[in-house]
Amino acid sequence: MSTARSVSFAIRRVRSPRIRTGNLRPTFQQIPRARFSTSAPTRAEESVTAAPPKQSKYTTDAYPNLKRNPNFGELTDAHVQHFKTVLNHPSAVIDGFTTDATDDIEPFNCDWMRKYRGHARLVLKPQNAQEMSEVLKYCNEHKLAVVPQGGNTGLVGGGVPVFDEIVISTARMNNIRSFDENSGVLVVDAGVILEVADKYLAERGHIFPLDLGAKGSCHIGGNVAANAGGLRLLRYGSLHGNVLGIEAVLPDGTIIEDLSTLRKNNTGYDLKQLFIGGEGTIGIVTGVSIICPQRPKAINVAFFGIESYEQALKAFLEAKGHLSEILSAFELMDGRSQELVHKVTGLKKPLDGSYPFYCLVETSGSNGEHDSEKLEGFLEHVMGESIVADGVLAQDETQAQTLWRWREGITESLSHLGGTYKYDVSIPLSELYQLVDDTRERLTKVGLVGDDESYPVREVLGYGHMGDSNLHLNVAVRQYNKEVEKMIEPWVYEWIAKRNGSISAEHGLGIAKREFIGYSKNETMIKLMSQLKKLYDPNGIMNPYKYM
Amino acid sequence: MSTARSVSFAIRRVRSPRIRTGNLRPTFQQIPRARFSTSAPTRAEESVTAAPPKQSKYTTDAYPNLKRNPNFGELTDAHVQHFKTVLNHPSAVIDGFTTDATDDIEPFNCDWMRKYRGHARLVLKPQNAQEMSEVLKYCNEHKLAVVPQGGNTGLVGGGVPVFDEIVISTARMNNIRSFDENSGVLVVDAGVILEVADKYLAERGHIFPLDLGAKGSCHIGGNVAANAGGLRLLRYGSLHGNVLGIEAVLPDGTIIEDLSTLRKNNTGYDLKQLFIGGEGTIGIVTGVSIICPQRPKAINVAFFGIESYEQALKAFLEAKGHLSEILSAFELMDGRSQELVHKVTGLKKPLDGSYPFYCLVETSGSNGEHDSEKLEGFLEHVMGESIVADGVLAQDETQAQTLWRWREGITESLSHLGGTYKYDVSIPLSELYQLVDDTRERLTKVGLVGDDESYPVREVLGYGHMGDSNLHLNVAVRQYNKEVEKMIEPWVYEWIAKRNGSISAEHGLGIAKREFIGYSKNETMIKLMSQLKKLYDPNGIMNPYKYM
Ligand SMILES: Cc1cc2nc3c(=O)[nH]c(=O)nc-3n(C[C@H](O)[C@H](O)[C@H](O)COP(=O)(O)OP(=O)(O)OC[C@H]3O[C@@H](n4cnc5c(N)ncnc54)[C@H](O)[C@@H]3O)c2cc1C
Ligand SMILES: Cc1cc2nc3c(=O)[nH]c(=O)nc-3n(C[C@H](O)[C@H](O)[C@H](O)COP(=O)(O)OP(=O)(O)OC[C@H]3O[C@@H](n4cnc5c(N)ncnc54)[C@H](O)[C@@H]3O)c2cc1C
């Protein structure tokens, strides 16, 4: 009998009305201090950033209406020479302008999904705010457009150029500046990789208050610029609350030094907030200070098969009630997404049967026994009342990691299918999954969905952070296809706007959503946003053709 | 034997090495669902907003250098008539301009501390965003300066006029607009009183993520405008993270409708954040949507006597370790503040002896037994290791409330002494209390502190939200006195700046701190702030003479 099976058995005992809660305690494990990581490679996924196996079109071909802004300057040898002098380090400049560096530049031109591809011929990697300031000031003076880039894991094409914008990467800004164990405040360079920071914190009994599937590649500056949400927002709250300070550079070279390490500091407008979710359109974040909670000593992960969305919603409300302060994630996955992960990764399924819905529930707390007791109460309830149909509970860290892979592996697995139209949306909980059904029905009706190569759409599936009312609708296509796109957009945005949802919950606007911002923000808001953009970036050089 | 004494005994048992933890369980109580409130009047404090018993000077006399901005218009009969027509309700206008309404207007002219007093002759109370828009637009066109006012409990003079600014009160905007039990999102008018909202939530199993001593009077709009921190920031985080949306009106009458009820909504610059802590200088908040956590089922409150600040710091770190996710408050009070509360309220002291420091520790969780066990572990440790000298543990809600009064009653008790110079500051934990000692020493050295009426300073004391590194330094004076002020300011700000602290942790800038913002924000930041102010309020009519 495999481990997973025996785990499954452990929960099935909970289902049986004859077995009382008390008996179950030994099957719940207190998982040691160390945190989960899904970065261990599995068969099909070598690394979370491995690019899908196909070549992408230029964004300029996919969006023929986009025209290069004629006000922008053109790169010259003299410009490139200037940057080389300022940055003065061989690895600080990738020069595809005066030399042939196509292969080195390609990863900076192309996004993680291979959906967007730019024509940049220069990548700059300043090492600190001062260098960043000199670079940006020069670009601004010469009206050279730029794209800030962190780990390039963004999912809306925001971090890659469209035309010949200069890529400014934070890859060489990777120092952890300080950590205070009393307060839990961490100060880092913008280019520190999320997983690196979290490992550093783990050694000091703390945890980064953000976690997501791309943690092995994404930069903290990129997370802040994208206002990433991730897997544990439910527990630790948003970056707007956790980021205490930033250091950033405006296009005119102004260095904003606002790296406060204080939890409370009511001395004026909270300017840093504009950079959180600003997607590199008003300046570049070079440093971040953030408050990090204590690392939970005990982590439990359970995985359920569920018969309907209504039951999944019930399970979530029960989890909130029973698990309360220790609930750290409640993730929803539909059956199709899990079949896909199974096919791509070859992982053994955690449950025997097949269900239309699955949920992953995580608890994190300071006392394993208490947490297990709470979880027990929850399990007893949801299984006793048949809210969930079947379930497994991780018995150790490895099993917990494996269960997480069923959730975290979806994005990566999707990328093996071809292209994906991704819609990362907020919808009131009661209707969250309806969007997936409606989309599938709409595309099926017009004959776009099918199993053989003649159909453009392979699959319509959904999953997401249920705890935050955040659904990821994914339309997996054999190749990006205008006919499919037209059937979905703007229909999908209208659907969301009707329910007062958000057309971008956590992935941001980038190039993918910029035209559709009107579905989530009214004209006044857009006017006020343009006003801010003009205030900070009057020449419009910061990440053009994106955001709005 | 009084109840308090027997409670005290219950904890003293924890100290004794002979008695094991297991025996203690029965003495820990699970406190029922209902929340604490300190609004029940005690002997000396009839209501938290009762004003101190003395008449205040006009701010224009206290700050003779302040000159009325000559660009501002002067009120005329026609203006007043216009407002009466627009608002069209007898209680919407307090007209001290064309009639004698001095008594009715006085409470709007004078702040809670009776430290600041303005010359307003008109108070307007619009009832919704539309009315607010018409009022502000008219004021802007006629360059009539205004002061937004909520519950008028602010502690930096930000909510009262200096010259003849029109007071715009949110008192008539007091509807609870909606509440969603699935998501916990509450939408309210800006004028809803904090305690009213919290009671409403209590009936629905939720809690407002902010609590403070002035809850019976302050408005949620005022809380947001002040970015209030309060007693449970440690647990629920700041308003920057919890406020999901706002409705606000700009001076030109623009209504910002951004009342999102979604937890995640990455569709552009997070403009609402500028209003959180904006202190009414760029617009008036008329509505707020906020995410509210589930109400904890179990609340425990312990109160300790501690021999030194170093031990208090140790106790805090132990509390973080042992209580982790259930720690909801850790408040520090010095012996002097507690003597004062004793003298003013006549409350019976919770502990027998006298200590230089006291701490109040609160836990909130979903399972009383688990919480008690964690608290037990904590108590055993801090008492066993003699980190704390003595302590009591509330046995029921009434006792918990009484213990909280020792913390929440300080501000009010201070107001009975005469005037208070208040410094609400953030300082790294290791040096938090040092500021109080240094201030006392400084003032004593020059002979300003003493027990009889000939000394201007009665007492120098400190308390605060230790969990947030937030100290309230209070210099209680017999009357406001320039000599004392000059000895403290700017010395106190230099002291804080040297330690990279904040000169205003949670109370804001108002008129009290505006000159000193340079100690917490550098020139670049101030320049950027002025830029924003000009952008939104080009005529400078919004809350002039304040903020910066
Ligand atoms: C497998 C996978 C899982 C994911 N899961 C989640 C998830 O659960 N939740 C979630 O919210 N997101 C998720 N994402 C997307 C998410 O936005 C990114 O992973 C991450 O936040 C972006 O960081 P990055 O460093 O890669 O930024 P990039 O992709 O490099 O850039 C993102 C945006 O920010 C800008 N930017 C980058 N750095 C800076 C800077 N220093 N200053 C100013 N602007 C800058 C870029 O111009 C771009 O507009 C996932 C992505 C992948 C591939
Ligand atoms: C006993 C006592 C205890 C306190 N404890 C705490 C504490 O623990 N933590 C803490 O942070 N503060 C505390 N405070 C001060 C705190 O700032 C206020 O109590 C509260 O947040 C202010 O709300 P209010 O409605 O009274 O605002 P007001 O005092 O009326 O106004 C405060 C500021 O906001 C502006 N303003 C008010 N309403 C609006 C609006 N709708 N739109 C735009 N601007 C507006 C005003 O112009 C002013 O600048 C305490 C005060 C008292 C008296």
Side-chain angles (χ1 to χ4, degrees):
Chain A
M1 210 162 69
S2 81
T3 330
R5 207 177 284 266
S6 74
V7 178
S8 176
F9 173 71
I11 290 206
R12 272 202 286 279
R13 285 172 62 202
V14 182
R15 287 173 73 197
S16 151
R18 273 155 301 147
I19 294 170
R20 287 218 325 280
T21 316
N23 299 342
L24 285 165
R25 188 90 62 95
T27 72
F28 295 98
Q29 285 284 332
Q30 178 172 348
I31 292 166
R33 201 168 245 264
R35 76 184 283 284
F36 306 148
S37 158
T38 56
S39 50
T42 55
R43 263 203 290 143
E45 60 179 357
E46 280 311 306
S47 145
V48 83
T49 53
K54 46 175 203 52
Q55 188 52 50
S56 46
K57 276 212 277 201
Y58 283 114
T59 307
T60 45
D61 294 333
Y63 293 73
N65 291 335
L66 275 181
K67 299 289 172 231
R68 185 178 184 282
N69 182 339
N71 297 331
F72 291 152
E74 308 260 1
L75 210 55
T76 64
D77 287 8
H79 294 326
V80 176
Q81 194 45 54
H82 174 83
F83 292 126
K84 285 183 180 167
T85 312
V86 164
L87 298 182
N88 194 26
H89 192 283
S91 64
V93 178
I94 308 183
D95 173 10
F97 189 75
T98 67
T99 67
D100 179 11
T102 317
D103 288 353
D104 291 344
I105 288 196
E106 187 56 17
F108 296 89
N109 259 324
C110 198
D111 79 318
W112 186 89
M113 296 180 297
R114 302 235 159 195
K115 192 167 174 187
Y116 303 98
R117 191 174 167 210
H119 301 270
R121 295 173 65 190
L122 186 67
V123 177
L124 303 177
K125 303 182 187 173
Q127 212 180 8
N128 52 48
Q130 196 52 51
E131 286 187 3
M132 186 67 85
S133 166
E134 290 187 45
V135 164
L136 275 188
K137 193 162 184 264
Y138 185 90
C139 290
N140 196 39
E141 278 164 10
H142 296 82
K143 298 213 172 60
L144 298 169
V146 305
V147 186
Q149 190 175 99
N152 195 10
T153 68
L155 298 175
V156 288
V160 290
V162 176
F163 294 94
D164 57 346
E165 299 90 82
I166 299 170
V167 176
I168 303 191
S169 162
T170 49
R172 284 178 72 243
M173 307 188 65
N174 44 24
N175 286 316
I176 291 178
R177 298 195 195 173
S178 68
F179 178 65
D180 181 291
E181 306 218 5
N182 280 349
S183 63
V185 177
L186 176 76
V187 185
V188 294
D189 281 359
V192 169
I193 287 174
L194 178 55
E195 193 166 43
V196 171
D198 190 60
K199 278 188 174 146
Y200 173 94
L201 288 165
E203 287 159 16
R204 289 155 184 84
H206 285 71
I207 186 169
F208 202 91
L210 169 75
D211 191 12
L212 43 81
K215 61 178 158 286
S217 305
C218 63
H219 294 187
I220 291 176
N223 298 146
V224 168
N227 187 28
L231 305 163
R232 299 199 178 85
L233 185 130
L234 178 63
R235 172 64 174 279
Y236 299 120
S238 94
L239 290 175
H240 286 291
N242 292 320
V243 170
L244 301 183
I246 58 151
E247 179 192 83
V249 181
L250 293 177
D252 68 1
T254 298
I255 300 178
I256 299 184
E257 281 174 89
D258 190 27
L259 266 183
S260 170
T261 55
L262 306 165
R263 187 134 189 206
K264 289 178 170 175
N265 185 11
N266 277 349
T267 52
Y269 307 120
D270 198 357
L271 254 162
K272 69 168 180 290
Q273 301 284 355
L274 299 177
F275 292 84
I276 303 175
E279 299 186 36
T281 59
I282 50 173
I284 303 194
V285 178
T286 54
V288 174
S289 79
I290 186 161
I291 186 145
C292 301
Q294 287 186 291
R295 204 164 195 86
K297 295 193 188 95
I299 293 178
N300 290 296
V301 176
F303 186 96
F304 301 108
I306 300 187
E307 296 291 4
S308 70
Y309 178 72
E310 288 62 41
Q311 297 292 70
L313 178 53
K314 266 194 207 156
F316 171 59
L317 295 176
E318 292 298 336
K320 283 220 307 187
H322 281 88
L323 304 172
S324 189
E325 68 270 16
I326 61 163
L327 181 62
S328 53
F330 195 105
E331 300 287 315
L332 176 79
M333 295 85 73
D334 67 7
R336 288 182 169 86
S337 70
Q338 299 302 275
E339 279 306 327
L340 172 69
V341 174
H342 177 60
K343 234 192 304 195
V344 173
T345 65
L347 274 174
K348 193 178 155 26
K349 290 189 183 179
L351 300 176
D352 285 339
S354 275
Y355 299 91
F357 293 96
Y358 298 87
C359 288
L360 185 151
V361 180
E362 186 193 78
T363 67
S364 317
S366 60
N367 183 314
E369 232 174 89
H370 292 167
D371 294 2
S372 297
E373 244 182 67
K374 288 185 181 102
L375 192 53
E376 215 169 89
F378 168 65
L379 293 175
E380 203 180 3
H381 185 83
V382 291
M383 303 200 84
E385 303 279 311
S386 300
I387 294 169
V388 307
D390 196 4
V392 289
L393 181 67
Q395 300 293 299
D396 57 30
E397 203 190 324
T398 312
Q399 288 185 0
Q401 277 179 27
T402 307
L403 290 180
W404 260 116
R405 219 171 282 158
W406 288 93
R407 166 63 185 84
E408 289 195 290
I410 305 173
T411 314
E412 166 70 12
S413 299
L414 270 165
S415 73
H416 289 264
L417 288 193
T420 312
Y421 291 101
K422 283 187 171 300
Y423 302 93
D424 157 45
V425 304
S426 288
I427 305 172
L429 265 183
S430 55
E431 297 195 79
L432 189 74
Y433 193 77
Q434 191 58 44
L435 178 60
V436 183
D437 286 337
D438 288 2
T439 307
R440 190 184 303 111
E441 194 188 311
R442 184 176 167 85
L443 295 174
T444 307
K445 253 194 198 148
V446 293
L448 291 170
V449 190
D451 279 339
D452 70 64
E453 297 294 316
S454 69
Y455 294 96
V457 178
R458 247 182 228 270
E459 193 60 285
V460 179
L461 54 84
Y463 59 99
H465 312 295
M466 189 159 182
D468 316 321
S469 274
N470 181 185
L471 174 84
H472 296 329
L473 162 69
N474 284 264
V475 178
V477 288
R478 294 192 160 80
Q479 59 207 37
Y480 292 117
N481 173 308
K482 279 284 159 198
E483 197 190 349
V484 175
E485 205 172 310
K486 277 193 197 134
M487 276 309 288
I488 314 178
E489 298 176 11
W491 170 83
V492 65
Y493 299 119
E494 284 162 9
W495 195 101
I496 294 157
K498 248 184 242 158
R499 283 136 183 110
N500 293 315
S502 170
I503 64 150
S504 185
E506 55 176 20
H507 294 165
L509 296 164
I511 188 162
K513 306 289 156 71
R514 68 186 279 259
E515 291 175 60
F516 305 107
I517 179 172
Y519 288 97
S520 278
K521 286 273 155 79
N522 58 36
E523 264 182 52
T524 307
M525 291 301 291
I526 296 172
K527 206 189 101 199
L528 292 168
M529 283 168 54
S530 310
Q531 215 180 33
L532 282 176
K533 167 78 178 173
K534 261 193 216 116
L535 181 69
Y536 294 115
D537 181 24
N539 293 329
I541 62 158
M542 299 299 307
N543 218 356
Y545 324 110
K546 319 272 175 68
Y547 212 59
M548 53 179 180
Chain B
M1 211 163 66
S2 81
T3 330
R5 208 176 284 266
S6 73
V7 179
S8 176
F9 172 70
I11 291 207
R12 272 201 288 278
R13 285 169 63 199
V14 182
R15 290 171 73 197
S16 151
R18 275 155 301 150
I19 294 169
R20 289 215 327 276
T21 316
N23 299 340
L24 284 165
R25 188 90 63 94
T27 71
F28 295 97
Q29 287 284 332
Q30 180 174 345
I31 292 166
R33 201 169 244 267
R35 77 182 284 282
F36 304 148
S37 159
T38 57
S39 52
T42 55
R43 263 204 289 142
E45 59 178 1
E46 279 310 308
S47 148
V48 83
T49 52
K54 55 184 192 48
Q55 187 52 53
S56 48
K57 274 213 277 201
Y58 283 114
T59 307
T60 45
D61 293 334
Y63 292 75
N65 291 335
L66 274 181
K67 301 289 171 227
R68 184 179 185 282
N69 181 340
N71 296 332
F72 292 152
E74 307 260 1
L75 210 56
T76 64
D77 287 7
H79 294 327
V80 175
Q81 194 45 53
H82 174 83
F83 292 126
K84 284 183 180 167
T85 312
V86 165
L87 298 182
N88 193 25
H89 192 283
S91 64
V93 178
I94 308 183
D95 171 10
F97 189 76
T98 67
T99 67
D100 179 11
T102 319
D103 288 354
D104 291 342
I105 288 194
E106 188 56 16
F108 296 90
N109 260 323
C110 197
D111 80 317
W112 187 87
M113 295 180 298
R114 303 233 157 197
K115 194 168 172 185
Y116 302 98
R117 191 175 167 207
H119 300 271
R121 294 172 67 189
L122 185 66
V123 177
L124 303 178
K125 303 182 187 173
Q127 212 180 7
N128 52 47
Q130 196 49 51
E131 286 187 3
M132 186 68 85
S133 166
E134 291 188 46
V135 164
L136 274 188
K137 192 160 185 264
Y138 185 89
C139 290
N140 195 40
E141 278 165 8
H142 295 82
K143 296 207 173 62
L144 297 170
V146 305
V147 186
Q149 191 175 99
N152 195 10
T153 67
L155 298 173
V156 288
V160 290
V162 176
F163 294 96
D164 57 347
E165 300 89 83
I166 299 170
V167 175
I168 303 191
S169 163
T170 49
R172 285 179 68 244
M173 307 187 65
N174 44 27
N175 287 315
I176 292 179
R177 299 195 197 173
S178 68
F179 178 64
D180 181 293
E181 306 220 3
N182 280 351
S183 62
V185 177
L186 176 76
V187 184
V188 294
D189 281 358
V192 169
I193 289 173
L194 177 56
E195 194 166 44
V196 170
D198 191 60
K199 279 188 174 147
Y200 173 93
L201 288 166
E203 287 159 17
R204 288 154 184 86
H206 285 72
I207 186 169
F208 202 91
L210 169 75
D211 191 13
L212 43 79
K215 60 178 157 283
S217 304
C218 63
H219 295 187
I220 291 174
N223 298 146
V224 168
N227 187 26
L231 304 162
R232 298 195 180 88
L233 185 130
L234 178 61
R235 172 66 176 276
Y236 300 120
S238 94
L239 290 176
H240 286 292
N242 292 320
V243 171
L244 300 183
I246 60 153
E247 178 192 83
V249 181
L250 294 177
D252 68 2
T254 299
I255 300 178
I256 299 183
E257 280 173 270
D258 190 27
L259 266 183
S260 169
T261 55
L262 306 165
R263 190 135 188 205
K264 289 177 169 175
N265 185 10
N266 278 350
T267 51
Y269 306 121
D270 198 357
L271 254 162
K272 68 169 181 289
Q273 301 284 354
L274 299 176
F275 292 84
I276 304 175
E279 299 187 35
T281 59
I282 50 174
I284 303 193
V285 178
T286 54
V288 174
S289 78
I290 185 162
I291 184 144
C292 302
Q294 287 187 291
R295 204 166 196 84
K297 295 194 187 92
I299 294 177
N300 290 298
V301 176
F303 187 95
F304 301 107
I306 300 185
E307 295 293 2
S308 70
Y309 177 72
E310 288 63 42
Q311 297 292 69
L313 179 52
K314 267 192 208 156
F316 170 59
L317 295 176
E318 292 297 337
K320 283 219 306 188
H322 282 88
L323 304 173
S324 190
E325 68 270 16
I326 61 164
L327 182 62
S328 53
F330 195 107
E331 299 287 315
L332 176 79
M333 295 84 73
D334 68 6
R336 287 180 172 87
S337 72
Q338 299 302 274
E339 280 305 325
L340 172 69
V341 174
H342 178 62
K343 232 188 313 193
V344 173
T345 65
L347 275 174
K348 194 175 155 25
K349 290 187 184 182
L351 301 175
D352 285 337
S354 276
Y355 298 91
F357 293 95
Y358 297 87
C359 288
L360 185 150
V361 181
E362 187 193 77
T363 67
S364 316
S366 60
N367 182 314
E369 232 175 88
H370 293 167
D371 294 2
S372 296
E373 244 182 67
K374 289 185 180 101
L375 192 53
E376 214 170 273
F378 168 65
L379 293 175
E380 202 180 4
H381 185 84
V382 291
M383 304 200 83
E385 302 280 312
S386 299
I387 294 169
V388 307
D390 198 3
V392 289
L393 182 68
Q395 301 294 300
D396 57 30
E397 202 190 327
T398 311
Q399 287 185 3
Q401 276 179 28
T402 307
L403 290 179
W404 261 115
R405 216 171 286 158
W406 288 93
R407 167 61 186 86
E408 289 196 289
I410 304 173
T411 314
E412 166 72 10
S413 298
L414 269 164
S415 74
H416 288 265
L417 287 191
T420 312
Y421 291 101
K422 284 190 171 294
Y423 302 92
D424 156 45
V425 304
S426 287
I427 304 170
L429 265 184
S430 55
E431 296 196 81
L432 189 73
Y433 193 77
Q434 191 58 44
L435 177 61
V436 183
D437 285 337
D438 287 3
T439 307
R440 190 184 303 113
E441 194 188 312
R442 183 176 166 86
L443 295 174
T444 308
K445 251 194 200 149
V446 293
L448 290 171
V449 190
D451 280 340
D452 70 64
E453 296 293 317
S454 67
Y455 295 96
V457 179
R458 248 181 229 268
E459 194 61 284
V460 179
L461 55 83
Y463 59 99
H465 312 294
M466 191 161 182
D468 317 320
S469 274
N470 180 187
L471 175 82
H472 295 329
L473 162 68
N474 284 263
V475 178
V477 289
R478 295 193 160 81
Q479 59 208 38
Y480 292 117
N481 173 309
K482 278 286 159 196
E483 197 189 350
V484 175
E485 205 173 309
K486 276 192 195 134
M487 276 309 287
I488 315 176
E489 297 175 13
W491 169 86
V492 65
Y493 299 119
E494 285 160 8
W495 195 102
I496 295 158
K498 248 183 244 159
R499 284 140 183 104
N500 293 316
S502 169
I503 65 152
S504 187
E506 54 176 20
H507 294 165
L509 296 163
I511 189 160
K513 305 289 157 70
R514 68 186 279 259
E515 289 176 62
F516 305 106
I517 180 172
Y519 288 96
S520 278
K521 287 272 154 79
N522 59 37
E523 264 181 51
T524 306
M525 291 301 291
I526 296 172
K527 206 189 100 201
L528 292 169
M529 282 169 53
S530 309
Q531 214 180 31
L532 283 177
K533 167 77 179 174
K534 260 190 219 119
L535 181 70
Y536 295 114
D537 180 25
N539 293 330
I541 62 158
M542 299 300 306
N543 219 355
Y545 323 112
K546 320 270 175 69
Y547 212 59
M548 51 180 183

